Amino acid sequence: MDIKICGLSTIETTDAVIAGGASHVGFIFFEKSPRHVAVETAAELGGRAQAKGLKSVAVTVNADDAYLDNIVHIMKPDLLQLHGSESPERVTKVKQRYGLPVMKAFSISTQDDLAKITPYIGVADRLLFDAKAPKNSELPGGNGVSFDWTLLKGLDPSVDYMLSGGLNAGNVGDAIAHSSPSGLDVSSGVESEPGVKSTILIASFFEAIANAKKRESND
Ligand SMILES: O=C(O)c1ccccc1N[C@@H]1O[C@H](COP(=O)(O)O)[C@@H](O)[C@H]1O
C-alpha cells in the first residue's frame, strides 16, 4: 500500500518520512495553508526523497498554467495533485501540458459526492478521497477531519483510490478495515501543531499501519 506524507517543509521530517517507508512525499502550494512552501524548498526536499526512490507530489488548488509551469520546472515533481474544483477537461489539459500523472482530489461527505468521480475515471491517473472542509475553513484539504469511510463500501471495486482526511496513528487501522484504498495520505495527523510535522508522530503513523497489516494477515 502506498503511503504519502503531505505538507513537508524540513529536512528532519522529510528524512523521518523516508526512513518510515513512505512511497510519496507531498508539498503544498496554497498560500493560505500553514504548510505552504516555496518551490525551491519543495525541489530540495522532494529531490532528497526522489534520490531514495520516493515520488514527490506537488499539491495545488485550481492553479493556472503559469503557476504550474514554475512548479514543474523547478521542483520536477513525479505527480501533480489537483485539490480544487478542476474539471475533467482541466485534468486532461494538465496531463498533456506536463506529461505527468495527475491525482484528482474529491471532498466526500455523502454518497452523492462519490457520484461526482464518474467523469474523472479514465481521465485522472489516480483519485484521492478527502473529507469535505468544515464551513469555517479556508483550506480545501489539510483540515484533519475524517469522513464516513463506510460510504466507500458502495464503490465499484475497480476504482483505485488513495484515502485521506483526518488519518492518524489512532484511526488508520479502522480506516483500512472499513475501506480498500491503494494508498493512504496524511498531513495534520502527523503534526504537533498546524504546519509543524513531528518525527515522533510520523514514526507512530507507520507503526500503526504495520500493526494493522499484521492484524489483517492474522485474520
Ligand atoms: O494540507 C494542506 O494544508 C492542504 C492545503 C490545500 C489543499 C490540500 C491540502 N492538504 C491535503 O489534504 C489532505 C488531508 O489532510 P489531513 O490529513 O486531513 O490534514 C491530504 O491529501 C493533503 O494532501
Side-chain angles (χ1 to χ4, degrees):
M1 183 183 289
D2 285 344
I3 302 173
K4 169 171 168 272
I5 309 288
C6 207
L8 293 163
S9 58
T10 68
I11 289 179
E12 191 195 16
T13 53
T14 302
D15 285 349
V17 167
I18 297 168
S23 56
H24 294 68
V25 284
F27 300 94
I28 303 293
F29 297 101
F30 187 64
E31 284 186 9
K32 289 177 183 164
S33 170
R35 306 169 187 98
H36 174 73
V37 284
V39 68
E40 291 77 12
T41 305
E44 183 196 350
L45 301 179
R48 202 172 170 91
Q50 285 167 323
K52 299 285 183 186
L54 283 77
K55 292 199 161 72
S56 182
V57 184
V59 180
T60 59
V61 181
N62 300 325
D64 61 16
D65 285 351
Y67 196 30
L68 284 175
D69 285 354
N70 191 47
I71 291 169
V72 171
H73 179 67
I74 296 174
M75 176 190 162
K76 302 192 174 27
D78 300 293
L79 177 67
L80 298 171
Q81 177 177 326
L82 304 186
H83 216 106
S85 53
E86 298 86 356
S87 66
E89 293 72 29
R90 178 65 181 150
V91 171
T92 302
K93 282 201 178 130
V94 169
K95 277 171 60 91
Q96 284 168 349
R97 186 172 178 91
Y98 303 107
L100 287 171
V102 165
M103 177 157 75
K104 177 70 188 90
F106 297 87
S107 305
I108 308 294
S109 75
T110 65
Q111 203 69 50
D112 284 350
D113 295 322
L114 278 174
K116 293 179 188 149
I117 69 171
T118 307
Y120 294 85
I121 291 174
V123 175
D125 297 276
R126 206 157 188 184
L127 308 183
L128 171 69
F129 297 151
D130 189 7
K132 196 154 268 183
K135 280 205 170 64
N136 57 351
S137 175
E138 289 197 293
L139 305 178
N143 291 298
V145 292
S146 306
F147 65 96
D148 176 4
W149 305 307
T150 62
L151 290 172
L152 299 172
K153 290 213 187 296
L155 200 65
D156 177 340
S158 67
V159 174
D160 177 58
Y161 65 91
M162 221 182 216
L163 180 66
S164 74
L167 297 177
N168 57 49
N171 67 12
V172 71
D174 269 358
I176 300 171
H178 286 95
S179 58
S180 309
S182 60
L184 299 166
D185 184 4
V186 62
S187 188
S188 312
V190 292
E191 290 181 343
S192 53
E193 58 185 274
V196 181
K197 292 282 178 294
S198 153
T199 55
I200 294 168
L201 294 177
I202 289 168
S204 304
F205 188 70
F206 286 111
E207 198 184 330
I209 295 171
N211 288 339
K213 284 185 184 160
K214 258 187 235 155
R215 280 197 301 275
E216 237 176 44
S217 62
N218 288 337
D219 285 348

